Amino acid sequence: MKVAGKIQPGSPHMVHRPLRLSETIVARLAGAVVLLAGQSLWASPPAVSRISPLAVRPGAVTQFQLQGTGLGEFRRLWTTFPVACSKAASSEDGKSFDCQFTLPRDAQVGIEAFRVVTTGGVSGLKMIMVDDLPTVAQVASNHSPVEAQQITLPVAIDGTCRPLKSDYYALEGRAGQWLTVEVVSQRLGFALDSVLRLLDAEGNELARSDDEPGIGGDSRLSHEITADGVCYLELRDVSHQGGDNFQYRLRVGRFPLATVVYPMGGQLGSIATLHLHGPHVEGLSPLRVQLAADGPAPKLLSAPFPGGQGSGFVLVDSGSEPEELEVEPNNQQPEANPIEVPCAINGSFSVPGDCDQYSFTGAKGERLAFCGLTRQLGSPADLLLRVKNREGKVLQEMDDAGSSEAALHFVLPEEGTYLLSVNELLGRAGQIYTYRIVAGNEDPGFELAAETDTITVPHGGVFQQKVTAKRHNYGGPIELSLEGVGNHIQLQGQTILKDKTETTVTATVSDQIKPGELKLVRIVGKPADAGRTGLVEANTTLALRKVLPDVAALPGGLDGVIAIGVAGPFSDFYKIQVEETPIYFPQLAGVSVLKVLLERLQKKFKDPISLSVEGLPEGVKAEVKPVEGSQVEYLVTLTGPPEIALGNHSIRITAQGTYQLQPQQAVIEDLTLQVVKPLVVTIEPAGPIAPGGRQKVGIRVRRFGEEKHPVVLTWSEAPSGILVPIGSVVPADAAHVEVEIAASETASVDTSGTLRLSASTKFKDQEIVVESVSATMYIGGNAATDPTTE
């Protein structure tokens, strides 16, 4: 008899400033490469392919729709902005989701982000705009001036560019009217590299915009109309490409085109006075902003013109360090602005080739870090940072590296005064070429990067996260931990070893985190060597750039936040069974073998499993080996003392398997292990016997050990009316014989009784006598029709 087991759930950025993971940040960011741990064996995580509209409006109710896959079993919508989501409903096929968004009136205009959370996990990051302009949808046929879509200002049009086509919009202009137009596409994660033109009624070009400094491939322009009449807006991709990933939001009204603020940040908890800079900000007063005492940073700010139509938007940073403002002139060493590290330096390049210099003092061995912030706050500046000694000799320099900001790490060789020299790499200048540099004096000596920012894991499951280290002046071990989940996620492999640059962390999620829940975590590292201090937060910049490759400035606080969505349980991928029961362990022999069969429920599951046996009698041990040449059979050899006492024991066989990182346990409970003499005899009736009938009954013997001797059989019990032979012998080379029994003509019908044998043989020169396993014999039917009758 085979006994099957049941499956049980699986058991088993660079640091600009001291790390802070506040409740405020978690609450607002309670929100993208997507990592799926074993993605094929549970409900698919949600994936958003399209949203409509592309923006939601402060102080209004917006009917909002998502399209994609896995949108059923909706649990929540995580956003980087305050919003109430109501009347949520998913389609039966999980390919669309509808709800109502309600935003507070003071919600700031700008680019935000969201994720969808379902019982299938969490979606990758998706961008959305908060916009105070009303939304209309594009008319599909607006591909020539004759077919131009009529628009009334102010307005924002959600549209899609098609290959080899331009989209046209017509509006009524008035002499002296200022018109502001902005394309928001790459900042929302789309592929459109826009070209925007303003045309008069005869098709003459009045204004044109391609790429704009600080906003990537998006376009924007402002123009004063000089005559009444129809004007046209033409929008297309610079390479005449198009398709579903070439969506855009075309904002038209009279609003500031602000790129940056100066200073670019302020100290946490302070009131900052910020000046807006950009191609169209004339007449705007400085903003006075109360910065929160604890993040988030960077923060969105929106600003309208007095009596205007719509708002412009910028980002402002904040930190715990004292603030320093550049004072010109500071191009020469004697004019260098004195600073004290740590601090946050705010400056700008006012003339082409401008070089800003700052002087500071430090002690020998002091570990300094100067981390630039430009592009992620909207500035197009590329920084070149140099540290010089007081004689002006360059000791170390660093510029922007790819999509990363400039960062310079330096250990002071001796006590004294040094210079920090700041240049725009290409010598560019202007009001928008601003910068912010966070300077620290407790640099741990390395940076960390996490491979993914979005993880879906099955309930109680396991995921892996690759973490890489960029070392500067520290080669020792780096200890990693997770911030934001308490003890609900346990880590293995959380040390980057000495002189190594990466590790793969294996994380096991507690089953207390239920399907449909979302956890936001950050990976932090600290130097393990004594004398080193500081925490480094792992950035997720590269992961975000794969999803948002052309976004110049990511929404505030996203870098470093890893979203972990918990899905349903991992599907069973194997089961086990014992080939034959009961399980015997023989006295005198002290050894027995049983076979466990593995059934692979997933074709791609090829790895071996491990088996263990619990509840064995004292002194009995189990050794497990796979059957040679087989991937589905395992032999369990039991060994123990020959003098072990007779009796029954309840044992348990447990299997452990892993597939797609997910552990799974299969258990066969309450198996009976019988300690017996080294001979077991069983009787196998062919079925009921009729009065006057005959039947051949099978007798099976199981010998233990290498010796094989004849087994003498003697009937010790039979039902009334059943005639059995006096005795039989099972030859030494046989394990099965058949003996004939008969039922008398007068045997009572519909009765039953016990068949039992006494059997004897030799084992290691000892005479062994055992009683067979009892069998029940039924008397019924009649001899004429009974198939057992001869």
Side-chain angles (χ1 to χ4, degrees):
M1 179 177 71
K2 296 180 180 179
V3 178
K6 46 184 183 177
I7 296 291
Q8 297 187 348
S11 46
H13 116 216
M14 167 189 316
V15 172
H16 295 159
R17 54 184 66 90
L19 174 70
R20 60 184 190 270
L21 183 65
S22 68
E23 293 182 1
T24 305
I25 291 176
V26 172
R28 187 171 185 267
L29 294 181
V33 173
V34 180
L35 172 67
L36 303 180
Q39 57 186 333
S40 62
L41 294 184
W42 71 83
S44 297
V48 179
S49 58
R50 193 176 185 91
I51 67 172
S52 179
L54 296 176
V56 289
R57 195 174 185 185
V61 176
T62 303
Q63 299 294 330
F64 188 62
Q65 184 181 74
L66 305 175
Q67 295 178 7
T69 58
L71 300 175
E73 299 296 327
F74 173 82
R75 285 297 177 266
R76 62 177 288 200
L77 200 66
W78 169 88
T79 67
T80 56
F81 56 100
V83 62
C85 179
S86 60
K87 297 184 179 180
S90 300
S91 63
E92 291 186 4
D93 60 7
K95 292 184 178 182
S96 67
F97 170 81
D98 294 88
C99 69
Q100 285 186 353
F101 270 5
T102 305
L103 273 70
R105 293 184 180 275
D106 61 353
Q108 299 294 294
V109 170
I111 309 300
E112 299 283 7
F114 71 90
R115 298 179 187 271
V116 178
V117 183
T118 72
T119 56
V122 59
S123 73
L125 207 61
K126 194 74 175 176
M127 312 311 285
I128 190 173
M129 187 171 184
V130 175
D131 197 351
D132 52 3
L133 294 176
T135 300
V136 299
Q138 175 191 20
V139 173
S141 60
N142 66 331
H143 300 307
S144 71
V146 174
E147 298 176 306
Q149 181 175 343
Q150 297 290 327
I151 58 173
T152 301
L153 308 190
V155 70
I157 307 103
D158 286 352
T160 303
C161 277
R162 296 300 172 186
L164 304 178
K165 294 182 183 295
S166 293
D167 296 340
Y168 288 86
Y169 299 92
L171 57 95
E172 288 291 332
R174 302 186 311 273
Q177 175 187 1
W178 272 97
L179 184 67
T180 310
V181 189
E182 179 176 35
V183 178
V184 184
S185 179
Q186 289 192 357
R187 285 173 287 175
L188 291 173
F190 299 118
L192 176 65
D193 186 354
S194 60
V195 174
L196 176 67
R197 297 202 303 158
L198 176 65
L199 311 175
D200 64 14
E202 285 72 40
N204 299 309
E205 184 177 286
L206 302 176
R208 176 191 179 96
S209 173
D210 191 347
D211 298 345
E212 289 292 317
I215 63 170
D218 286 345
S219 306
R220 59 186 183 179
L221 58 83
S222 62
H223 182 76
E224 184 180 10
I225 297 174
T226 59
D228 293 350
V230 175
C231 295
Y232 296 99
L233 291 171
E234 179 197 7
L235 176 60
R236 64 171 175 85
D237 179 75
V238 67
S239 300
H240 301 280
Q241 298 184 74
D244 290 344
N245 197 34
F246 288 74
Q247 296 181 64
Y248 60 83
R249 183 167 179 85
L250 182 62
R251 307 179 73 229
V252 190
R254 183 176 180 271
F255 48 86
L257 293 180
T259 304
V260 295
V261 292
Y262 186 82
M264 301 185 81
Q267 194 165 17
L268 289 167
S270 69
I271 297 176
T273 300
L274 309 172
H275 299 260
L276 285 87
H277 298 303
H280 185 47
V281 294
E282 298 81 1
L284 275 180
S285 299
L287 300 176
R288 287 181 57 81
V289 179
Q290 174 69 61
L291 299 175
D294 194 7
K299 174 183 179 180
L300 270 171
L301 294 176
S302 55
F305 283 128
Q309 300 170 325
S311 298
F313 53 96
V314 290
L315 287 164
V316 59
D317 190 44
S318 58
S320 59
E321 304 82 5
E323 296 288 319
E324 297 282 357
L325 293 179
E326 178 202 3
V327 178
E328 291 280 9
N330 64 341
N331 287 27
Q332 304 300 321
Q333 180 178 338
E335 302 169 331
N337 295 169
I339 60 172
E340 291 186 12
V341 179
C343 65
I345 306 167
N346 297 274
S348 65
F349 301 110
S350 55
V351 294
D354 195 3
C355 175
D356 296 336
Q357 303 204 55
Y358 304 88
S359 66
F360 61 92
T361 61
K364 180 179 180 179
E366 198 169 358
R367 305 186 308 274
L368 304 184
F370 299 95
C371 302
L373 293 171
T374 56
R375 284 172 289 183
Q376 61 182 282
L377 295 176
S379 170
D382 289 336
L383 296 184
L384 171 61
L385 305 180
R386 297 184 177 101
V387 171
K388 305 176 182 179
N389 62 18
R390 60 190 310 162
E391 288 76 33
K393 179 182 177 181
V394 176
L395 302 179
Q396 191 165 326
E397 70 177 37
M398 180 63 69
D399 61 14
D400 289 351
S403 61
S404 300
E405 301 275 26
L408 190 153
H409 302 261
F410 184 65
V411 179
L412 299 184
E414 59 185 4
E415 183 177 356
T417 300
Y418 296 84
L419 293 175
L420 173 67
S421 172
V422 184
N423 294 74
E424 208 288 324
L425 185 64
L426 303 179
R428 297 172 296 181
Q431 285 188 321
I432 65 173
Y433 287 89
T434 56
Y435 60 84
R436 181 172 172 85
I437 300 171
V438 179
N441 59 354
E442 293 185 356
D443 180 24
F446 58 90
E447 303 166 43
L448 296 175
E451 185 177 36
T452 70
D453 76 329
T454 307
I455 297 170
T456 286
V457 62
H459 181 227
V462 174
F463 68 87
Q464 289 185 330
Q465 174 75 288
K466 183 179 179 181
V467 182
T468 58
K470 182 179 180 180
R471 296 180 181 269
H472 305 296
N473 49 57
Y474 175 69
I478 302 170
E479 294 180 355
L480 305 177
S481 61
L482 283 182
E483 298 284 346
V485 288
N487 296 321
H488 292 302
I489 299 180
Q490 302 298 319
L491 300 184
Q492 291 180 321
Q494 64 267 44
T495 300
I496 301 178
L497 300 177
K498 180 181 179 181
D499 297 327
K500 301 298 182 181
T501 58
E502 65 180 49
T503 188
T504 298
V505 176
T506 300
T508 302
V509 180
S510 168
D511 58 10
Q512 295 182 20
I513 305 178
K514 303 303 180 183
E517 289 192 39
L518 174 69
K519 295 296 179 181
L520 298 170
V521 305
R522 296 177 185 264
I523 297 176
V524 297
K526 63 179 181 180
D529 287 356
R532 286 278 182 158
T533 59
L535 287 176
V536 176
E537 175 188 313
N539 69 67
T540 55
T541 304
L542 292 180
L544 292 170
R545 288 295 175 199
K546 290 180 181 179
V547 177
L548 306 167
D550 301 306
V551 175
L554 295 167
L558 287 178
D559 197 4
V561 178
I562 301 170
I564 302 174
V566 178
F570 200 71
S571 297
D572 297 346
F573 55 87
Y574 75 96
K575 61 182 179 181
I576 59 170
Q577 56 188 7
V578 175
E579 184 178 50
E580 187 176 350
T581 59
I583 301 169
Y584 299 110
F585 186 81
Q587 284 182 328
L588 303 180
V591 62
S592 180
V593 178
L594 63 105
K595 185 180 288 187
V596 177
L597 305 179
L598 167 65
E599 182 179 354
R600 299 180 183 271
L601 304 179
Q602 296 293 327
K603 292 181 179 180
K604 293 183 179 180
F605 173 50
K606 304 291 186 181
D607 293 338
I609 61 171
S610 64
L611 293 172
S612 62
V613 185
E614 302 170 65
L616 291 170
E618 185 177 355
V620 178
K621 298 180 179 180
E623 181 184 14
V624 180
K625 289 184 178 181
V627 174
E628 189 174 351
S630 174
Q631 290 189 334
V632 295
E633 297 177 314
Y634 291 80
L635 294 180
V636 181
T637 302
L638 304 178
T639 57
E643 65 278 8
I644 188 171
L646 298 174
N648 292 343
H649 303 267
S650 179
I651 66 171
R652 161 189 171 119
I653 296 178
T654 301
Q656 297 282 357
T658 301
Y659 178 49
Q660 295 182 349
L661 298 180
Q662 306 311 310
Q664 201 162 80
Q665 187 181 83
V667 180
I668 308 178
E669 302 270 11
D670 300 324
L671 285 169
T672 299
L673 174 68
Q674 297 181 11
V675 179
V676 297
K677 294 181 179 181
L679 177 65
V680 175
V681 180
T682 55
I683 304 170
E684 301 171 344
I689 187 171
R694 296 177 178 275
Q695 182 184 119
K696 288 184 177 181
V697 174
I699 310 296
R700 189 174 301 277
V701 300
R702 182 175 178 181
R703 305 175 181 91
F704 297 89
E706 296 181 0
E707 298 180 13
K708 307 296 181 185
H709 296 281
V711 178
V712 179
L713 305 175
T714 304
W715 292 96
S716 56
E717 187 175 354
S720 176
I722 298 297
L723 306 176
V724 297
I726 295 174
S728 304
V729 175
V730 182
D733 60 351
H736 180 267
V737 295
E738 289 184 342
V739 298
E740 187 175 83
I741 65 172
S744 68
E745 297 285 353
T746 60
S748 299
V749 179
D750 296 330
T751 61
S752 64
T754 299
L755 288 174
R756 185 179 288 113
L757 283 164
S758 177
S760 63
T761 190
K762 286 185 176 183
F763 183 84
K764 294 183 178 180
D765 297 328
Q766 295 186 41
E767 188 73 22
I768 303 298
V769 179
V770 301
E771 289 290 313
S772 72
V773 178
S774 299
T776 300
M777 190 74 226
Y778 294 90
I779 303 172
N782 56 71
T785 61
D786 190 342
T788 64
T789 301
E790 295 183 350

